[in-house]
Amino acid sequence: MSNKPENLTLITDDGLRLDGRRADEIRPMKIEVGVLSRADGSCYLEWGRNKILVGVFGPREAHPRRSQRADSAVIRYRYNMASFSVEDRARPGPSRRSIEISKVSREAFEPVIMAELFPKTAIDIFVEVLQADAGTRTAAINASSIALADAGIPMKGLITSCAFGKVDGKIVLDLNKEEDNYGEADFPVAMTQDGEITLIQMDGNLTPDEIKQGLELVKKGCKEILEIQQAVLRKKFETPVEEVSEEA
Ligand code: ADP
């Protein structure tokens, strides 16, 4: 969030944003599942200009041994930005930002992953941001959800994530880079498919009414994303009718 150049209009009088979207529209999303042969589950996701690759490994014996939990699996989430993913080269290695994103994203999944089924093991979620254009943590959570399902990790449901923000004084869904840079607030959210919130963060200032309005938008956005996620997984896992009848 930085000072907006005076002549820059992010939303026209007709309510259109710089990329042509209306306030309540998400950027186009494309998902491929099972793209990494060495991972137990994987997903490649494009959302607007964001490009995210996720590999899931496990449940597998947790190392080092002292990290094991006798009563459940440990869930580890590593968010990493490739140095070429942003305009000015991102410094390789963990940063305060990536450590924070990894922590809140792991916590976003903990309520749905049935870790108690796999004592002493680890479930590793590796996120590589290949191209960043605002909203990478939400994009990574959407991709991780698919990769976890692809890995066959038992979950109570999928996690879906989307941000809202305030731009030119208006509440809008899913900020793009210009809106993230010059907007007044950014508010990422993740939720279960029943609408239970598992991640909430806020950068900037919003009134309680604006948050209420934004959460309504996010619910709509997450519903659309869930439908995309479910369609991708259905396509991957549904057994074609012919195969069933052949085996019978
Ligand atoms: P998110 O990507 O989840 O929206 P931020 O709000 O922290 O997370 O970042 C917004 C955007 O700023 C990122 O998507 C990326 O385009 C850009 N960005 C983040 N970190 C860096 C960095 N180290 N160097 C350059 N650009 C960055």
Side-chain angles (χ1 to χ4, degrees), residues 197-223:
I197 289 177
T198 63
L199 174 146
I200 208 161
Q201 295 190 284
M202 180 164 94
D203 184 13
N205 293 315
L206 292 163
T207 66
D209 268 351
E210 286 169 339
I211 293 177
K212 219 168 148 187
Q213 195 189 331
L215 285 175
E216 283 309 310
L217 279 189
V218 157
K219 259 190 225 162
K220 173 185 176 289
C222 281
K223 192 162 168 269

Side-chain angles (χ1 to χ4, degrees), residues 13-50:
D13 293 339
D14 301 335
L16 290 180
R17 297 154 71 177
L18 285 181
D19 52 17
R21 282 182 294 153
R22 301 223 161 259
D24 65 348
E25 286 176 336
I26 58 170
R27 290 171 284 183
M29 187 180 283
K30 202 182 98 186
I31 301 179
E32 275 178 64
V33 61
V35 289
L36 299 174
S37 57
R38 292 197 189 92
D40 294 309
S42 57
C43 177
Y44 171 71
L45 180 144
E46 290 183 1
W47 194 4
R49 289 194 293 257
N50 290 305

Side-chain angles (χ1 to χ4, degrees), residues 50 79 81 86-91 97 101 132-138 177 180-181 186 203:
N50 290 305
Y79 166 102
M81 259 188 160
V86 290
E87 219 169 272
D88 304 317
R89 176 177 178 273
R91 199 162 170 237
R97 175 177 172 276
I101 293 178
D133 199 56
T136 57
R137 79 194 64 199
T138 52
K177 188 76 180 86
D180 184 88
N181 282 358
D186 180 19
D203 184 13

Side-chain angles (χ1 to χ4, degrees), residues 39-160:
D40 294 309
S42 57
C43 177
Y44 171 71
L45 180 144
E46 290 183 1
W47 194 4
R49 289 194 293 257
N50 290 305
K51 296 186 177 181
I52 314 278
L53 185 60
V54 177
V56 166
F57 296 80
R60 57 184 179 183
E61 193 177 332
H63 288 290
R65 284 242 170 132
R66 65 186 146 74
S67 69
Q68 292 182 355
R69 290 187 51 178
D71 56 350
S72 84
V74 285
I75 299 163
R76 302 187 291 213
Y77 190 107
R78 197 205 61 180
Y79 166 102
N80 182 55
M81 259 188 160
S83 54
F84 52 80
S85 66
V86 290
E87 219 169 272
D88 304 317
R89 176 177 178 273
R91 199 162 170 237
S95 62
R96 279 174 68 103
R97 175 177 172 276
S98 68
I99 292 167
E100 174 209 307
I101 293 178
S102 299
K103 176 185 184 288
V104 296
S105 305
R106 170 175 51 77
E107 289 170 353
F109 280 100
E110 277 173 346
V112 293
I113 296 178
M114 297 166 81
E116 66 281 4
L117 298 178
F118 307 102
K120 298 186 179 174
T121 68
I123 297 168
D124 285 298
I125 305 156
F126 292 107
V127 169
E128 297 295 329
V129 177
L130 306 177
Q131 188 169 290
D133 199 56
T136 57
R137 79 194 64 199
T138 52
I141 288 172
N142 290 325
S144 299
S145 207
I146 300 281
L148 282 161
D150 184 38
I153 307 286
M155 292 191 285
K156 291 173 193 155
L158 293 171
I159 293 289
T160 302

